[in-house]
Amino acid sequence: MIIEENMSVQKKLEILSDAAKYDVACTSSGVDRKGTSGGLGNTVAAGICHTFSADGRCISLLKILFTNECIFDCKYCLNRSSNDVVRASFTPEEVCVLTMEFYRRNYIEGLFLSSGVIKNPNFTMELLCETLRMLREVHHFNGYIHCKAVPGASSDIIEMTGWYADRMSVNLELPTAEGLKTLAPHKTRKNILKPMKQIQIGRNELIKPSTFIETNRMSGYAQSISVFDMNSIESEQDQPQILREEANFSLSKSKSELSIRDKILDTNMTGYDSEYSLGKVRRPSINRGFVPAGQSTQMIIGATPENDYQILSVTEALYQKFDLKRVFFSAFIRVNEDTSLPVLPGGPPLLREHRLYQADWLLRFYGFQAAELLSEERPNFNVLLDPKCNWALGHLENFPIEVNKADYYALLRVPGIGVRSAERIVKARRTAKLRFEDLKKMGVVLKRAIYFITCSGQMMHPVKLEENYLTNQLVGMKERLPFGLSGDISYQQLSLFDDLKFMNQNININ
Amino acid sequence: MLTKRIYVCENSIECIFTGIYDAWASNYGHDNNRIQVEESNNEPETMELFSEYIHVKTDNEKAIKVANSIRTKISEEAFQMVCSAAWSCSSKKGDIIYRFLILGFSMGSKVVNHMGDQNVMMIFELQRNVTYEVHHFLGFLRFIESDSNILLAKIKPQNDVLRLIAPHFSDRLSNENFIIYDEKRKSAIVHRSGYSWIYTLADHLDINKFEEYSEKEQEFTSLWQTFFDTIAIEERRNYKLQRNNAPLRFRNNMTEFKN
């Protein structure tokens, strides 16, 4: 391990932001908090992007590792202990000064603090917690803080950190436990899920102390954090009406899916355990709530041979059983030479990542379920179509739907109609019957939608609802992909990854 | 056919409201009136034939009457929409607001949902355009700290967003002294620690102050530059996406894009 003495802050920042750049979640969303008279900062629930780096990703938070001196040897990670890279560590004071001064100049929305595991998980978590404490109590920083929970750290330090942070996240790292075993030998699924569970339970205790504990005592949360309860708790707290209805909507069918998910997430933590409950530490004097912006996680896509269906099912389970706010996907980038890592000839699987994010939105805002979008027989997305088009083509019996009558959720399922358009339609049809030209004026994009909707019983053009014909029409359309993903080149790249046979031949795990 | 009457207003919300008040009070028929906002650049307007041009002189009393009527007879939401529209850079905003209000005073609060109507839709568009720009500046605005510990920011917005971004920064930086200067309109928000913000014309502001970097300031500028450069992932480099998300017009005043 190379450790340089007396390194400048500039140099440390360079090393430790470079080491943190693969972390995905740079969002500052989820909590509205007014400024305080003695402090610096506030937070905005919608989140604010402060700039965009050369890869086009948003920079919202000062995203750094506290240290890259790591005792773990995860194969995909630049900072694995067996790598010969320059190591550096901040002091809590240095992190505080950087955060405060960057924040004053409006460079950032707050701090995203992650870390390699130095000495042991507890020691690392204590350092992170102390940094947050100083920021909040010494520097009176009132802006956004996202902090990683280090798997394996004791629950009291996790709780203390949760009182200072707005959002916490534990990295799932890889979609399945098997993947974790091969590529991150020092991490276990159980250690990762434990702090996640603790944060979830802590947050819920604050929201609805009595009912929550009762439901859990009765049945043990493994079965019962009955997806239903969890969702209604969350939705009552901070989701708008529309989402609340949607939560109930999406749940009606979901119970049958639970068994698959249990298997996937392997949550055999049964019974209510006081270890997960709040109250192990004294709360700070200024109460900003316990992880008020909720928790998120991320996993690497394409390093291990899981299919899209597995990934999406895990994602769904994380939302429903762990109450996560976001699940992030990170296209695998080969930073280390290691025989257990796949060589992806087209570079990181960015289009696959994009399709998974699209599907993730369908789960969170459109009332879809993983099992509707994919299945054991058809476990991967068709890269040529977005997941919603793909679904609609398989369910033509639901279409066309009448714009002036269909309910909000039916509208949301129309290809080309998003949350904003659906809301506008529902609003506008109260005052007048809508025609196709009205939809256009309102900014509803009709390119895809015209095949699936009627206005006052009429389709825009006479169209036969037939799968092959529509598939050709939709695939032929130029989809607006994020810049850099469009064009034939990326389709080619993608077809390589998404072909499971190809992957199996080339990924040589063990 | 009656001669068209065109009410020419200065580019301010007060003057637009005054013009609307005068046009309404004239009883000349809405179809024969038009509200036109003077362009701030000195190019001569293309005049129309068979039209009478009336130059509106701002009258705060009339403006307040219009504002109060919108709030009470239509709704607070409609008032917000109209304000945003009035601060937008559209040259047609005067007449759009006028037409929106004609409909609004007959329909009441329902008007904001009446998207089928062209003027309602246009007000909505103007507001959306302004809101997006406001949101952009909440993130893209950059302060530099002067030797006297005052934070200075310079922006060049398309719309007149100063008064819409001021509440955010005053809340966030309540203990700081800061100035946000609109280069285009030569106006500014001034905030003194512990006080509420004020909006002022700033013809006399010494903007050269913005270029004087203290040593401490240079240090943080360079730290930020370092962070900005290293945080990008080489394998995912995508300048098009970057430019789409952070358009060039904002970059002149953004620390990390200088040099």
Side-chain angles (χ1 to χ4, degrees):
Chain A
M1 203 175 263
I2 309 163
I3 297 174
E4 213 173 286
E5 297 285 318
N6 301 323
M7 199 184 279
S8 71
V9 175
Q10 181 104 26
K11 183 78 185 152
K12 285 186 188 178
L13 182 64
E14 195 182 329
I15 294 169
L16 294 168
S17 58
D18 190 56
K21 69 185 174 191
Y22 298 104
D23 256 303
V24 195
C26 194
T27 54
S28 54
S29 54
V31 58
D32 257 323
R33 185 169 58 235
K34 285 262 154 220
T36 53
S37 61
L40 173 76
N42 59 14
T43 63
V44 178
I48 296 174
C49 293
H50 282 253
T51 188
F52 292 85
S53 50
D55 50 22
R57 298 187 307 161
C58 151
I59 298 176
S60 178
L61 304 171
L62 171 62
K63 185 162 62 177
I64 46 175
L65 298 193
F66 187 85
T67 176
N68 66 346
E69 292 176 42
C70 191
I71 56 167
F72 286 1
D73 199 35
C74 306
K75 303 239 173 2
Y76 48 81
C77 179
L78 192 63
N79 302 306
R80 56 189 283 188
S81 58
S82 57
N83 268 11
D84 197 17
V85 297
V86 181
R87 308 281 168 167
S89 297
F90 280 121
T91 64
E93 182 62 24
E94 283 166 347
V95 175
C96 290
V97 170
L98 278 176
T99 308
M100 295 296 286
E101 295 297 335
F102 278 13
Y103 193 88
R104 287 180 67 220
R105 289 164 177 77
N106 207 40
Y107 296 164
I108 54 168
E109 202 53 22
L111 173 67
F112 181 131
L113 192 59
S114 179
S115 184
V117 181
I118 183 169
K119 290 188 183 165
N120 58 56
N122 266 345
F123 182 80
T124 312
M125 203 63 221
E126 270 166 27
L127 279 170
L128 300 187
C129 187
E130 172 59 10
T131 308
L132 265 53
R133 185 195 67 77
M134 281 174 63
L135 253 183
R136 292 293 196 209
E137 291 180 353
V138 180
H139 295 269
H140 305 289
F141 178 68
N142 192 42
Y144 197 88
I145 299 180
H146 179 158
C147 187
K148 289 274 173 203
V150 180
S154 76
S155 52
D156 48 343
I157 314 173
I158 302 263
E159 182 187 334
M160 200 62 219
T161 311
W163 289 112
Y164 291 122
D166 288 297
R167 170 164 288 181
M168 289 186 75
S169 57
V170 195
N171 286 353
L172 196 66
E173 309 292 5
L174 294 158
T176 56
E178 294 78 56
L180 201 64
K181 231 175 268 169
T182 20
L183 296 187
H186 295 95
K187 292 187 176 167
T188 63
R189 194 59 161 237
K190 204 177 155 218
N191 268 355
I192 290 172
L193 294 181
K194 208 179 124 185
M196 224 185 246
K197 196 84 234 172
Q198 184 194 348
I199 294 165
Q200 177 197 25
I201 289 176
R203 273 171 51 78
N204 283 316
E205 275 179 20
L206 273 199
I207 297 161
K208 259 195 178 175
S210 56
T211 52
F212 182 81
I213 292 172
E214 269 166 33
T215 30
N216 280 294
R217 287 225 173 104
M218 282 193 304
S219 43
Y221 62 77
Q223 305 96 39
S224 80
I225 286 205
S226 110
V227 178
F228 205 93
D229 293 339
M230 299 314 291
N231 275 285
S232 56
I233 287 169
E234 176 173 330
S235 56
E236 270 168 41
Q237 188 217 3
D238 58 13
Q239 289 180 340
Q241 177 72 27
I242 281 172
L243 287 181
R244 196 182 310 162
E245 287 168 15
E246 176 204 294
N248 295 334
F249 171 84
S250 69
L251 286 167
S252 48
K253 291 185 234 160
S254 67
K255 295 226 163 157
S256 59
E257 280 302 304
L258 272 178
S259 57
I260 306 172
R261 267 186 246 114
D262 278 337
K263 211 169 66 200
I264 290 167
L265 269 186
D266 191 22
T267 48
N268 50 4
M269 301 179 267
T270 43
Y272 188 77
D273 189 342
S274 64
E275 203 187 333
Y276 294 123
S277 201
L278 288 178
K280 283 177 279 295
V281 292
R282 233 182 102 211
R283 298 177 190 187
S285 54
I286 297 178
N287 186 359
R288 295 181 178 85
F290 181 76
V291 199
Q295 56 175 334
S296 62
T297 191
Q298 63 174 16
M299 54 183 126
I300 302 167
I301 302 304
T304 42
E306 290 91 359
N307 59 39
D308 290 349
Y309 182 48
Q310 282 172 302
I311 294 169
L312 209 59
S313 302
V314 172
T315 306
E316 185 174 59
L318 287 167
Y319 286 129
Q320 299 192 335
K321 298 184 67 179
F322 289 84
D323 245 357
L324 293 201
K325 292 284 181 189
R326 280 298 298 270
V327 175
F328 291 95
F329 309 111
S330 158
F332 171 66
I333 297 169
R334 201 170 199 268
V335 292
N336 296 328
E337 287 304 319
D338 194 305
T339 48
S340 57
L341 295 173
V343 179
L344 304 178
L350 296 177
L351 188 49
R352 184 175 182 205
E353 180 194 276
H354 178 64
R355 292 291 180 230
L356 284 166
Y357 274 125
Q358 288 181 312
D360 170 73
W361 279 76
L362 295 182
L363 297 184
R364 289 188 298 139
F365 301 113
Y366 291 73
F368 277 93
Q369 288 149 48
E372 286 181 281
L373 298 169
L374 295 169
S375 63
E376 301 278 2
E377 296 76 47
R378 219 168 39 82
N380 288 305
F381 286 114
N382 178 350
V383 282
L384 299 178
L385 285 171
D386 70 79
K388 191 154 80 167
C389 272
N390 207 24
W391 172 84
L393 288 172
H395 296 81
L396 289 175
E397 69 279 4
N398 299 351
F399 298 104
I401 66 156
E402 169 56 42
V403 168
N404 287 297
K405 292 205 182 98
D407 73 14
Y408 176 74
Y409 305 102
L411 286 171
L412 275 182
R413 292 188 166 225
V414 176
I417 295 185
V419 172
R420 219 175 262 179
S421 293
E423 277 172 4
R424 267 186 222 166
I425 290 172
V426 172
K427 228 175 173 189
R429 71 187 182 190
R430 281 185 213 142
T431 51
K433 198 151 223 175
L434 298 176
R435 297 159 305 168
F436 281 104
E437 56 257 48
D438 298 323
L439 295 180
K440 258 187 207 161
K441 263 189 238 156
M442 287 157 46
V444 177
V445 182
L446 291 177
K447 206 167 67 174
R448 287 182 192 76
I450 49 168
Y451 299 106
F452 302 96
I453 54 173
T454 58
C455 283
S456 309
Q458 297 275 306
M459 290 191 90
M460 193 160 164
H461 312 295
V463 171
K464 197 163 75 176
L465 279 177
E466 193 267 312
E467 193 177 342
N468 284 336
Y469 168 71
L470 287 181
T471 309
N472 278 334
Q473 294 296 310
L474 293 170
V475 171
M477 243 167 235
K478 219 171 162 244
E479 182 190 0
R480 211 177 144 237
L481 287 165
F483 294 96
L485 277 188
S486 49
D488 298 335
I489 303 158
S490 56
Y491 280 146
Q492 252 171 17
Q493 280 178 13
L494 242 104
S495 57
L496 291 176
F497 297 111
D498 273 32
D499 184 341
L500 206 64
K501 281 180 205 142
F502 182 90
M503 279 182 63
N504 287 339
Q505 282 160 16
N506 283 271
I507 295 170
N508 203 352
I509 291 179
N510 290 333
Chain B
M1 199 184 95
L2 287 167
T3 320
K4 195 152 208 167
R5 282 189 183 160
I6 296 177
Y7 291 82
V8 182
C9 305
E10 287 163 31
N11 190 2
S12 76
I13 191 166
E14 292 85 359
C15 198
I16 294 172
F17 280 0
T18 310
I20 289 172
Y21 185 97
D22 288 346
W24 214 294
S26 70
N27 273 330
Y28 194 61
H30 294 315
D31 289 346
N32 306 317
N33 292 332
R34 202 172 84 208
I35 306 288
Q36 185 172 311
V37 178
E38 245 173 356
E39 299 282 342
S40 52
N41 54 27
N42 294 324
E43 285 171 36
E45 301 270 341
T46 322
M47 305 280 273
E48 278 179 40
L49 286 172
F50 312 113
S51 302
E52 179 188 349
Y53 281 77
I54 300 164
H55 283 267
V56 178
K57 214 171 137 263
T58 305
D59 180 331
N60 282 330
E61 223 166 274
K62 288 177 183 172
I64 288 168
K65 274 186 190 164
V66 173
N68 286 340
S69 315
I70 301 173
R71 299 170 105 144
T72 53
K73 291 182 189 155
I74 307 178
S75 69
E76 196 61 36
E77 190 188 351
F79 182 65
Q80 299 291 339
M81 282 168 85
V82 169
C83 287
S84 288
W87 283 327
S88 85
C89 59
S90 158
S91 56
K92 299 188 189 116
K93 62 189 180 186
D95 211 52
I96 295 173
I97 293 172
Y98 182 45
R99 306 287 150 201
F100 173 78
L101 291 181
I102 295 167
L103 190 67
F105 285 127
S106 76
M107 278 182 81
S109 63
K110 276 186 304 191
V111 71
V112 294
N113 292 334
H114 196 61
M115 300 293 189
D117 183 87
Q118 205 185 353
N119 289 298
V120 179
M121 199 56 215
M122 284 202 286
I123 285 268
F124 192 76
E125 291 291 339
L126 293 184
Q127 186 198 23
R128 190 163 51 164
N129 182 272
V130 172
T131 316
Y132 280 173
E133 195 177 33
V134 167
H135 190 76
H136 273 135
F137 275 112
L138 299 190
F140 293 159
L141 179 144
R142 296 285 176 270
F143 288 109
I144 60 167
E145 186 172 21
S146 76
D147 290 334
S148 43
N149 294 100
I150 297 173
L151 295 170
L152 304 167
K154 215 163 49 168
I155 60 174
K156 201 172 181 181
Q158 288 172 339
N159 305 301
D160 193 359
V161 297
L162 271 186
R163 280 157 286 190
L164 293 168
I165 62 173
H168 171 83
F169 286 105
S170 306
D171 181 58
R172 170 163 292 199
L173 306 171
S174 57
N175 290 332
E176 303 280 353
N177 301 309
F178 68 81
I179 296 173
I180 302 172
Y181 175 70
D182 181 339
E183 294 177 274
K184 204 161 156 188
R185 295 168 187 81
K186 301 205 182 348
S187 52
I189 293 297
V190 179
H191 177 270
R192 200 175 139 198
S193 169
Y195 291 81
S196 54
W197 57 274
I198 53 168
Y199 170 79
T200 171
L201 292 179
D203 308 355
H204 301 299
L205 188 73
D206 179 10
I207 56 163
N208 293 328
K209 273 268 175 214
F210 287 88
E211 308 305 332
E212 287 170 20
Y213 281 40
S214 67
E215 210 166 284
K216 186 183 158 206
E217 193 55 33
Q218 269 168 18
E219 190 192 323
F220 284 110
T221 305
S222 125
L223 282 167
W224 173 239
Q225 189 79 51
T226 302
F227 174 76
F228 178 74
D229 292 338
T230 44
I231 205 73
I233 298 178
E234 185 60 28
E235 291 86 341
R236 301 184 62 128
R237 195 163 47 179
N238 190 343
Y239 288 116
K240 271 188 179 166
L241 182 61
Q242 183 190 31
R243 202 155 63 199
N244 192 50
N245 286 328
L248 297 176
R249 69 186 174 91
F250 293 100
R251 295 190 185 182
N252 283 342
N253 289 316
M254 291 170 77
T255 320
E256 61 273 28
F257 289 111
K258 285 178 184 166
N259 313 319

